[in-house]
Amino acid sequence: MTRSIKGLIASAAIAGFMIASPAFAADGDVAKGEKAYKTKCKSCHSIKANVKRVGPSLFAIFGRKCGTAAKTRFSKGYKAACEAKPFTWDEALVNEYIEAPAKFMTKMAGKKVSSPMRAVKIKKEKRRANIIAFLKTLK
């Protein structure tokens, strides 16, 4: 009986972890995400369709294939990542990217590459969830 209780507790802990994990952003606050966008992202990224700043527009980013944003010249590292492992932006990938852009691009490229966003890392999970919730409204 003790083993089954321990197994039940372990299962509950794993389920709780999975529910709280960031593969998601359903619990993000859109208003806080917009504020975070304005302080962390706005100087380089527009939220209007086909409006490029230093980086590509973040309008309708979810479902967009890497390297396909209009009017954008991508860095060598970004191009290498898109060529080595083509991907489509989803919540989990945006979350991973904004947490550590160079690490993400290196993983996707399969070799060490840099990211123009190397100075911007959003370490707080809740802030990333808020930004993702805001970006999801841009359609």
Side-chain angles (χ1 to χ4, degrees):
M1 177 128 168
T2 305
R3 281 190 171 172
S4 54
I5 292 173
K6 287 181 183 178
L8 182 61
I9 291 170
S11 296
I14 291 169
F17 174 76
M18 290 172 70
I19 290 168
S21 83
F24 64 96
D27 64 341
D29 182 300
V30 173
K32 288 180 181 179
E34 183 175 12
K35 185 177 178 183
Y37 158 79
K38 288 178 179 176
T39 60
K40 294 296 239 175
C41 316
K42 184 178 180 178
S43 62
C44 295
H45 295 278
S46 171
I47 55 172
K48 294 181 180 174
N50 301 319
V51 175
K52 178 202 171 298
R53 290 196 176 135
V54 174
S57 170
L58 298 177
F59 181 83
I61 188 169
F62 298 106
R64 183 190 308 157
K65 292 182 181 178
C66 66
T68 63
K71 303 178 182 179
T72 302
R73 265 183 60 205
F74 294 98
S75 68
K76 289 179 184 179
Y78 192 91
K79 287 179 190 177
C82 291
E83 290 169 6
K85 193 172 187 179
F87 59 91
T88 300
W89 288 109
D90 63 17
E91 294 168 5
L93 292 176
V94 169
N95 181 64
E96 187 178 352
Y97 180 70
I98 64 178
E99 181 179 18
K103 181 179 176 182
F104 175 83
M105 285 298 160
T106 294
K107 177 182 117 179
M108 298 307 265
K111 62 181 180 181
K112 186 163 175 80
V113 297
S114 66
S115 167
M117 278 189 43
R118 64 188 163 274
V120 178
K121 295 178 185 175
I122 301 170
K123 292 295 185 186
K124 293 183 179 178
E125 184 177 318
K126 190 65 176 170
R127 180 176 272 181
R128 292 192 312 271
N130 293 340
I131 291 170
I132 290 167
F134 171 65
L135 293 177
K136 286 172 61 177
T137 69
L138 307 174
K139 300 176 185 179

